[in-house]
Amino acid sequence: MTARDEVYQKVSTILVDLFEVDADSISEDSLLYEELDIDSIDAVDLVIELKAYTGKKIAPEDFKSVSTVGDIVNAVCKILRND
């Protein structure tokens, strides 16, 4: 399993556990707002969870342009690479 796969699994787990998203409906291409019903308040909670996961400060601009699960995975992978 690659680091990217691990991040994807973590993001999926957060979406299922925190927001009760059906695990079968999650893919890299899933649209957060339109398909998974993640609203702006949920997005803040998601960033808090990802901050705890990465142990790093997450700037709002890192997540300003995310619209899919894959975008979140890419952003988290980028944050993890910037030690």
Side-chain angles (χ1 to χ4, degrees), residues 1-63:
M1 182 178 281
T2 67
R4 180 174 173 69
D5 291 335
E6 290 176 27
V7 171
Y8 174 77
Q9 288 300 321
K10 181 61 178 179
V11 170
S12 296
T13 299
I14 291 170
L15 292 170
V16 169
D17 293 347
L18 207 59
F19 308 114
E20 300 177 359
V21 173
D22 179 18
D24 294 333
S25 68
I26 300 172
S27 73
E28 291 253 358
D29 297 323
S30 296
L31 295 169
L32 297 172
Y33 305 108
E34 294 87 349
E35 296 176 8
L36 303 180
D37 285 330
I38 302 298
D39 63 24
S40 58
I41 301 298
D42 293 336
V44 171
D45 292 338
L46 178 61
V47 169
I48 291 167
E49 287 294 315
L50 293 173
K51 181 179 175 186
Y53 169 64
T54 62
K56 301 189 184 285
K57 185 176 186 337
I58 297 178
E61 56 269 9
D62 292 336
F63 282 85

